Amino acid sequence: MAYPFGMQPQIILLKEGTDTSQGKPQLISNINACVAVADVVRTTLGPRGMDKLMHDARGSVTISNDGATIMKTLDIIHPAAKTLVDISLSQDAEVGDGTTTVVLLAAEFLKECKSFIEEGVHSQAIIRAFRQASELAVSHVKAMATDISSGKSEAERAELLRRCAITSLNSKLVSGEREFFGTMVVDAVMKLDPRTLDLRMLGVKKVQGGGLRDSFLVDGVAFKKTFSYAGFEMQRKSIDRPKILLLNIELELKAERENAEVRLDDPAAYQSIVDAEWNVIYDKLDKCAASGANVVLSRLAIGDLGTQYFRRSRYLLRR
């Protein structure tokens, strides 16, 4: 058979076992897959929700009732069902709560429109109806919304935020102390710059031992560090209104490279090389002392020489 204008028939190569179904049966299959995935997380919703135990191929075990965590852990193959994972992760990134709710809502919407698909209603008509319903729902929510930025005092805004935080903690493991942690979360957020509200400025340090009520909020910077070097008993444990020195340099004698080689004609010159190394580190330590700081925070290593130097100078040292 000759093809006009040199056109060749289109050939599509598919991997063995590939499903090529399309049309109404494929739409029904997609809906059934999404509903099946939603049934997995359905029992985790609400304050009485149950935890799920997930075991992956690597042998790690995860126990959680968080929708985003469960969806991310599940090994979902179906392309349509994977969209539920995407919306759950998007909800977690944008809002931080409601990850299970969005999955269940999406699945229920699909389940409700399944009968219309079976009756022959075109999918574009169903999508158009969903968009109109979304616009009506958003406008209704905006009409019911409460503006906390104007007309309210700081105490009233804090109370509204505290009630929202307590509500979101109802389904978490700390729900028994939701009022305690809700107040702590609001206090932390209220300390941020209201123009940016950069949540990266907030951090959580986990320390084993103690009860939930032993948790506390630090209005400043907290380091999970301990004294672990000689002479730490002599260090001061508390300094009021400190002057802090931040370092990004090493305060110790560097080890030579394995292939380093120094050739000397005069043995007496060796002492001058050693003295030069000591002079370099002593110069750094003297400049630290001359800065007037009484707290030194270093990103890199501080050797025993620097530790003893700062101890004699009554510095508070962290490395």
PDB file of all heavy atoms in Angstrom, residues 27 113 116-117 120-130:
ATOM      1  N   LEU A  27     -11.547   5.879  32.700  1.00  0.00           N
ATOM      2  CA  LEU A  27     -11.959   6.858  33.706  1.00  0.00           C
ATOM      3  C   LEU A  27     -12.476   6.149  34.961  1.00  0.00           C
ATOM      4  O   LEU A  27     -12.149   6.545  36.091  1.00  0.00           O
ATOM      5  CB  LEU A  27     -13.041   7.776  33.138  1.00  0.00           C
ATOM      6  CG  LEU A  27     -12.612   8.768  32.051  1.00  0.00           C
ATOM      7  CD1 LEU A  27     -13.822   9.536  31.531  1.00  0.00           C
ATOM      8  CD2 LEU A  27     -11.572   9.735  32.592  1.00  0.00           C
ATOM      9  N   CYS A 113     -18.856  11.645  41.162  1.00  0.00           N
ATOM     10  CA  CYS A 113     -19.012  11.852  39.719  1.00  0.00           C
ATOM     11  C   CYS A 113     -18.904  10.553  38.937  1.00  0.00           C
ATOM     12  O   CYS A 113     -19.060  10.546  37.706  1.00  0.00           O
ATOM     13  CB  CYS A 113     -17.991  12.853  39.201  1.00  0.00           C
ATOM     14  SG  CYS A 113     -16.285  12.265  39.210  1.00  0.00           S
ATOM     15  N   PHE A 116     -22.103   9.737  37.093  1.00  0.00           N
ATOM     16  CA  PHE A 116     -22.329  10.567  35.906  1.00  0.00           C
ATOM     17  C   PHE A 116     -21.491  10.074  34.729  1.00  0.00           C
ATOM     18  O   PHE A 116     -21.937  10.112  33.579  1.00  0.00           O
ATOM     19  CB  PHE A 116     -21.986  12.024  36.223  1.00  0.00           C
ATOM     20  CG  PHE A 116     -22.885  12.647  37.252  1.00  0.00           C
ATOM     21  CD1 PHE A 116     -22.466  12.794  38.565  1.00  0.00           C
ATOM     22  CD2 PHE A 116     -24.154  13.076  36.920  1.00  0.00           C
ATOM     23  CE1 PHE A 116     -23.290  13.365  39.517  1.00  0.00           C
ATOM     24  CE2 PHE A 116     -24.992  13.654  37.855  1.00  0.00           C
ATOM     25  CZ  PHE A 116     -24.560  13.785  39.165  1.00  0.00           C
ATOM     26  N   ILE A 117     -20.289   9.616  35.009  1.00  0.00           N
ATOM     27  CA  ILE A 117     -19.454   9.059  33.947  1.00  0.00           C
ATOM     28  C   ILE A 117     -20.114   7.812  33.350  1.00  0.00           C
ATOM     29  O   ILE A 117     -20.149   7.621  32.122  1.00  0.00           O
ATOM     30  CB  ILE A 117     -18.058   8.719  34.485  1.00  0.00           C
ATOM     31  CG1 ILE A 117     -17.321   9.984  34.931  1.00  0.00           C
ATOM     32  CG2 ILE A 117     -17.230   7.978  33.426  1.00  0.00           C
ATOM     33  CD1 ILE A 117     -16.954  10.924  33.822  1.00  0.00           C
ATOM     34  N   GLY A 120     -22.798   8.523  30.922  1.00  0.00           N
ATOM     35  CA  GLY A 120     -22.401   9.109  29.651  1.00  0.00           C
ATOM     36  C   GLY A 120     -22.158  10.603  29.687  1.00  0.00           C
ATOM     37  O   GLY A 120     -21.964  11.215  28.619  1.00  0.00           O
ATOM     38  N   VAL A 121     -22.171  11.231  30.848  1.00  0.00           N
ATOM     39  CA  VAL A 121     -21.879  12.666  30.935  1.00  0.00           C
ATOM     40  C   VAL A 121     -20.412  12.885  30.596  1.00  0.00           C
ATOM     41  O   VAL A 121     -19.525  12.185  31.105  1.00  0.00           O
ATOM     42  CB  VAL A 121     -22.206  13.210  32.334  1.00  0.00           C
ATOM     43  CG1 VAL A 121     -21.887  14.698  32.418  1.00  0.00           C
ATOM     44  CG2 VAL A 121     -23.666  12.956  32.670  1.00  0.00           C
ATOM     45  N   HIS A 122     -20.142  13.879  29.764  1.00  0.00           N
ATOM     46  CA  HIS A 122     -18.767  14.117  29.338  1.00  0.00           C
ATOM     47  C   HIS A 122     -17.944  14.653  30.510  1.00  0.00           C
ATOM     48  O   HIS A 122     -18.428  15.429  31.349  1.00  0.00           O
ATOM     49  CB  HIS A 122     -18.741  15.119  28.180  1.00  0.00           C
ATOM     50  CG  HIS A 122     -17.455  15.086  27.405  1.00  0.00           C
ATOM     51  ND1 HIS A 122     -16.326  15.738  27.822  1.00  0.00           N
ATOM     52  CD2 HIS A 122     -17.136  14.455  26.240  1.00  0.00           C
ATOM     53  CE1 HIS A 122     -15.346  15.527  26.955  1.00  0.00           C
ATOM     54  NE2 HIS A 122     -15.822  14.758  25.976  1.00  0.00           N
ATOM     55  N   SER A 123     -16.676  14.245  30.580  1.00  0.00           N
ATOM     56  CA  SER A 123     -15.809  14.659  31.682  1.00  0.00           C
ATOM     57  C   SER A 123     -15.591  16.163  31.707  1.00  0.00           C
ATOM     58  O   SER A 123     -15.429  16.750  32.783  1.00  0.00           O
ATOM     59  CB  SER A 123     -14.461  13.935  31.587  1.00  0.00           C
ATOM     60  OG  SER A 123     -13.847  14.202  30.338  1.00  0.00           O
ATOM     61  N   GLN A 124     -15.583  16.822  30.548  1.00  0.00           N
ATOM     62  CA  GLN A 124     -15.399  18.271  30.526  1.00  0.00           C
ATOM     63  C   GLN A 124     -16.558  18.987  31.207  1.00  0.00           C
ATOM     64  O   GLN A 124     -16.372  20.005  31.874  1.00  0.00           O
ATOM     65  CB  GLN A 124     -15.259  18.756  29.078  1.00  0.00           C
ATOM     66  CG  GLN A 124     -13.970  18.324  28.393  1.00  0.00           C
ATOM     67  CD  GLN A 124     -12.760  18.986  29.031  1.00  0.00           C
ATOM     68  OE1 GLN A 124     -12.860  20.052  29.641  1.00  0.00           O
ATOM     69  NE2 GLN A 124     -11.606  18.345  28.900  1.00  0.00           N
ATOM     70  N   ALA A 125     -17.769  18.459  31.043  1.00  0.00           N
ATOM     71  CA  ALA A 125     -18.923  19.066  31.710  1.00  0.00           C
ATOM     72  C   ALA A 125     -18.814  18.915  33.226  1.00  0.00           C
ATOM     73  O   ALA A 125     -19.156  19.834  33.981  1.00  0.00           O
ATOM     74  CB  ALA A 125     -20.215  18.418  31.199  1.00  0.00           C
ATOM     75  N   ILE A 126     -18.320  17.761  33.685  1.00  0.00           N
ATOM     76  CA  ILE A 126     -18.143  17.555  35.120  1.00  0.00           C
ATOM     77  C   ILE A 126     -17.069  18.481  35.668  1.00  0.00           C
ATOM     78  O   ILE A 126     -17.223  19.071  36.748  1.00  0.00           O
ATOM     79  CB  ILE A 126     -17.798  16.077  35.390  1.00  0.00           C
ATOM     80  CG1 ILE A 126     -18.948  15.169  34.943  1.00  0.00           C
ATOM     81  CG2 ILE A 126     -17.487  15.856  36.865  1.00  0.00           C
ATOM     82  CD1 ILE A 126     -18.657  13.691  35.083  1.00  0.00           C
ATOM     83  N   ILE A 127     -15.974  18.649  34.930  1.00  0.00           N
ATOM     84  CA  ILE A 127     -14.903  19.548  35.370  1.00  0.00           C
ATOM     85  C   ILE A 127     -15.399  20.978  35.453  1.00  0.00           C
ATOM     86  O   ILE A 127     -15.073  21.734  36.396  1.00  0.00           O
ATOM     87  CB  ILE A 127     -13.707  19.433  34.410  1.00  0.00           C
ATOM     88  CG1 ILE A 127     -13.077  18.039  34.512  1.00  0.00           C
ATOM     89  CG2 ILE A 127     -12.664  20.509  34.707  1.00  0.00           C
ATOM     90  CD1 ILE A 127     -11.994  17.777  33.496  1.00  0.00           C
ATOM     91  N   ARG A 128     -16.215  21.393  34.471  1.00  0.00           N
ATOM     92  CA  ARG A 128     -16.766  22.752  34.481  1.00  0.00           C
ATOM     93  C   ARG A 128     -17.641  22.968  35.706  1.00  0.00           C
ATOM     94  O   ARG A 128     -17.598  24.030  36.356  1.00  0.00           O
ATOM     95  CB  ARG A 128     -17.551  22.975  33.195  1.00  0.00           C
ATOM     96  CG  ARG A 128     -17.910  24.451  32.936  1.00  0.00           C
ATOM     97  CD  ARG A 128     -18.691  24.619  31.651  1.00  0.00           C
ATOM     98  NE  ARG A 128     -17.993  23.996  30.534  1.00  0.00           N
ATOM     99  CZ  ARG A 128     -18.442  22.942  29.860  1.00  0.00           C
ATOM    100  NH1 ARG A 128     -19.607  22.391  30.215  1.00  0.00           N
ATOM    101  NH2 ARG A 128     -17.768  22.450  28.854  1.00  0.00           N
ATOM    102  N   ALA A 129     -18.417  21.962  36.069  1.00  0.00           N
ATOM    103  CA  ALA A 129     -19.274  22.078  37.244  1.00  0.00           C
ATOM    104  C   ALA A 129     -18.445  22.157  38.529  1.00  0.00           C
ATOM    105  O   ALA A 129     -18.761  22.926  39.443  1.00  0.00           O
ATOM    106  CB  ALA A 129     -20.230  20.885  37.298  1.00  0.00           C
ATOM    107  N   PHE A 130     -17.361  21.381  38.585  1.00  0.00           N
ATOM    108  CA  PHE A 130     -16.487  21.437  39.751  1.00  0.00           C
ATOM    109  C   PHE A 130     -15.852  22.818  39.902  1.00  0.00           C
ATOM    110  O   PHE A 130     -15.706  23.331  41.024  1.00  0.00           O
ATOM    111  CB  PHE A 130     -15.397  20.375  39.643  1.00  0.00           C
ATOM    112  CG  PHE A 130     -15.799  19.027  40.169  1.00  0.00           C
ATOM    113  CD1 PHE A 130     -15.528  17.872  39.458  1.00  0.00           C
ATOM    114  CD2 PHE A 130     -16.452  18.905  41.383  1.00  0.00           C
ATOM    115  CE1 PHE A 130     -15.905  16.627  39.930  1.00  0.00           C
ATOM    116  CE2 PHE A 130     -16.834  17.668  41.872  1.00  0.00           C
ATOM    117  CZ  PHE A 130     -16.566  16.529  41.143  1.00  0.00           C
TER     118      PHE A 130
END
